[in-house]
Amino acid sequence: MGAHRPSRGPPTRGQGLTLSTDTTGPLLLAHDDEGSGPAVVLIHSGVTDRGMWAPVLTTLAASHRVVAPDLRGFGESPLPGEAYADADDVAHLLDELGIERATVVGSSFGGRVALELATRHPERVESLVLLCTAYRGLEVTDPVVLAFGEREDALLEAGDVEGAVALNVALWVQPVVPQEVREDVARMQRRAFEVQLAADALDQGPRPERVEVDPTSVSVPTLVVAGALDVAHHRDIATLLAREIPGAEYVELDWAGHFPSIERPDETAALLLGRLAR
């Protein structure tokens, strides 16, 4: 599912892309690095890439150093055939940029990666903001999300990437979002599908490591944000994490669907700056 997992399998075609299989040394994620001040890392969803943060990046970078990476298989980051963990990739990027600790903001799948980073590299995380986050620890029972996943799998196995892109945009992007923004999300999702399908078609494909997260062990200040118009599964995740993460704060945005930073960038930036000021 586009909003929940970074790779699909097993695909049947490589979409004509040539991907590097060089595994010499750690992978440095493609990224934006703007501004100065306390560090903030923005981790994108599984439907998009770092471009999803463009509407809020300039505002945040006026008072903070903002780093927005493309995770493996998204945007400009490759997906070589090797074992990896997204949390390790983000920690390596922080090493390369000389950042010891940062507030980490994750959207959907990016929220799951943020939780994995706080679990695997807690010394690197100052605080967490989880926007409509994904989380493996809650079984999917939402019929909307289950039907979406089955349909997406069927479209990809049939080679209908455009159909899968349209399916993702229809579910995860609110109708009120301007058409040009919807087209930009479609472009990001299309790119992710192409890179991931090509990588999975390699003789030795990528092997993402499963990082288990125990919310009760998360030891940094955490803000959990839910969208009142999001699917039930993500609202349930937000409620669960707000209850189980020690000291977590919970905010529900009555206007938000799955992507607050895309739907109302100014209000989302204000929310993040308010949290960062604390």
Side-chain angles (χ1 to χ4, degrees), residues 63-139:
S63 55
H64 292 76
R65 182 179 182 183
V66 183
V67 176
D70 283 334
L71 298 172
R72 291 191 190 217
F74 295 91
E76 296 178 321
S77 290
L79 188 58
E82 62 184 10
Y84 72 98
D86 288 306
D88 293 345
D89 285 343
V90 175
H92 174 61
L93 176 61
L94 295 179
D95 288 341
E96 291 295 309
L97 296 178
I99 297 173
E100 293 186 4
R101 290 170 65 84
T103 292
V104 182
V105 181
S107 171
S108 191
F109 172 70
R112 193 182 93 186
V113 175
L115 284 166
E116 293 172 356
L117 181 68
T119 297
R120 192 144 168 153
H121 303 279
E123 74 283 357
R124 312 309 296 269
V125 180
E126 187 76 34
S127 63
L128 287 173
V129 180
L130 306 174
L131 299 174
C132 306
T133 187
Y135 170 57
R136 282 193 172 114
L138 182 64
E139 180 183 0

Side-chain angles (χ1 to χ4, degrees), residues 1 40 59 94 118 135 164 189 217 243 249:
M1 307 172 208
V40 181
T59 300
L94 295 179
Y135 170 57
Q189 175 67 99
S217 296
R243 182 175 66 245
E249 297 182 51

Side-chain angles (χ1 to χ4, degrees), residues 91-265:
H92 174 61
L93 176 61
L94 295 179
D95 288 341
E96 291 295 309
L97 296 178
I99 297 173
E100 293 186 4
R101 290 170 65 84
T103 292
V104 182
V105 181
S107 171
S108 191
F109 172 70
R112 193 182 93 186
V113 175
L115 284 166
E116 293 172 356
L117 181 68
T119 297
R120 192 144 168 153
H121 303 279
E123 74 283 357
R124 312 309 296 269
V125 180
E126 187 76 34
S127 63
L128 287 173
V129 180
L130 306 174
L131 299 174
C132 306
T133 187
Y135 170 57
R136 282 193 172 114
L138 182 64
E139 180 183 0
V140 181
T141 59
D142 182 351
V144 172
V145 177
L146 289 171
F148 162 80
E150 292 176 0
R151 180 58 179 159
E152 185 192 56
D153 286 343
L155 288 167
L156 291 175
E157 291 194 15
D160 188 359
V161 172
E162 286 304 316
V165 168
L167 181 74
N168 275 273
V169 173
L171 179 60
W172 303 115
V173 183
Q174 287 198 78
V176 296
V177 172
Q179 181 60 27
E180 63 269 22
V181 178
R182 298 174 68 84
E183 291 173 357
D184 198 41
V185 173
R187 175 191 58 77
M188 290 186 274
Q189 175 67 99
R190 185 180 301 111
R191 171 64 179 172
F193 277 141
E194 291 173 348
V195 172
Q196 293 160 23
L197 289 171
D200 286 338
L202 297 170
D203 290 339
Q204 179 171 286
R207 301 181 301 284
E209 178 182 346
R210 184 183 178 100
V211 177
E212 299 296 343
V213 171
D214 176 5
T216 65
S217 296
V218 174
S219 58
V220 298
T222 301
L223 175 64
V224 181
V225 180
L229 306 179
D230 200 358
V231 296
H233 179 62
H234 282 283
R235 298 198 311 272
D236 291 343
I237 287 173
T239 301
L240 173 67
L241 291 176
R243 182 175 66 245
E244 294 197 349
I245 295 175
E249 297 182 51
Y250 173 83
V251 172
E252 181 178 84
L253 304 176
D254 58 7
W255 51 264
H258 194 62
F259 290 133
S261 67
I262 291 174
E263 295 157 5
R264 294 193 184 180

